Amino acid sequence: GGAFAKDGSRGFETYLTDFDGLPARLIDTVGFGGSGGSGDLPPGFREFAPLVPCGVDVFLYFLKYGQVGAREKEQFEKFVTYAGESVIPHVIIVITHAGEETTRSITNAAFTGSNESLRQICFDYAAGRVVAVDSEQTGGLEREREDREALVAAIAGAVDVNQGRRYTSLKLEEWQGGVTGGK
């Protein structure tokens, strides 16, 4: 992948980059735990829809390691409710602030541990599509490179598993303002 180039800012930010040599647009919306949305819909989530008239390949859903509980599970369920069940195969859970923990150690702990909310998000919803990243960069450049490679591999894996089919829904089409013909 190439460098990220920021492309404007509204209730969300978009970044232009490349993914395995293909142009890509990454859209960063305010999370479902944020404030300022209309009703329970976060600001920017509805606004990015016109940028994806052909659908969305992957949603990266970020959770902070050590701070996943009932509230975070409820927020994730709210995301699924708004986006629809068809979003689930397109979601990768990204666990931030992992420090020295690895994806394997976190998913093992989620699967066998007592944190029911983390287990449900990682396995019942995301079917193990989880990547842990050291967002505090305590592991140095080597860990940063490994995290980037793991994230790119997870994205490529999700696209492969979905056989290139993108997430689309009547709700997304509605938010697009009829761009794809939805009502």
Side-chain angles (χ1 to χ4, degrees):
F4 294 102
K6 192 171 179 179
D7 177 30
S9 180
R10 292 178 277 273
F12 58 90
E13 295 181 13
T14 66
Y15 300 87
L16 303 176
T17 188
D18 68 84
F19 178 71
D20 288 342
L22 299 173
R25 171 177 281 150
L26 303 176
I27 301 170
D28 183 8
T29 67
V30 174
F32 272 77
S35 59
S38 65
D40 289 330
L41 190 66
F45 197 78
R46 180 185 311 252
E47 296 161 357
F48 84 81
L51 297 174
V52 292
C54 296
V56 177
D57 288 308
V58 175
F59 286 89
L60 301 177
Y61 195 94
F62 291 84
L63 294 169
K64 188 173 182 180
Y65 181 64
Q67 296 185 8
V68 179
R71 179 175 182 263
E72 289 73 22
K73 180 179 171 253
E74 181 181 312
Q75 291 167 350
F76 184 81
E77 289 171 342
K78 192 180 297 183
F79 165 71
V80 172
T81 297
Y82 277 107
E85 293 284 327
S86 64
V87 76
I88 292 173
H90 300 276
V91 173
I92 297 171
I93 302 299
V94 180
I95 306 290
T96 65
H97 299 80
E100 293 184 17
E101 296 291 336
T102 64
T103 297
R104 174 171 273 163
S105 67
I106 290 174
T107 56
N108 284 343
F111 191 71
T112 61
S114 61
N115 187 333
E116 187 68 15
S117 296
L118 182 61
R119 186 195 62 73
Q120 288 176 330
I121 292 170
C122 291
F123 292 101
D124 295 352
Y125 286 110
R129 290 181 308 277
V130 178
V131 176
V133 297
D134 177 20
S135 53
E136 298 293 303
Q137 298 179 344
T138 59
L141 292 177
E142 181 66 18
R143 171 67 189 260
E144 184 180 338
R145 183 188 60 73
E146 290 170 0
D147 288 350
R148 189 176 312 114
E149 288 174 359
L151 192 54
V152 168
I155 292 168
V159 171
D160 285 347
V161 165
N162 290 315
Q163 299 176 333
R165 288 185 305 271
R166 293 183 170 138
Y167 162 80
T168 58
S169 71
L170 292 177
K171 223 173 250 190
L172 183 62
E173 291 177 9
E174 175 188 322
W175 296 339
Q176 291 165 336
V179 169
T180 60
K183 301 277 185 244

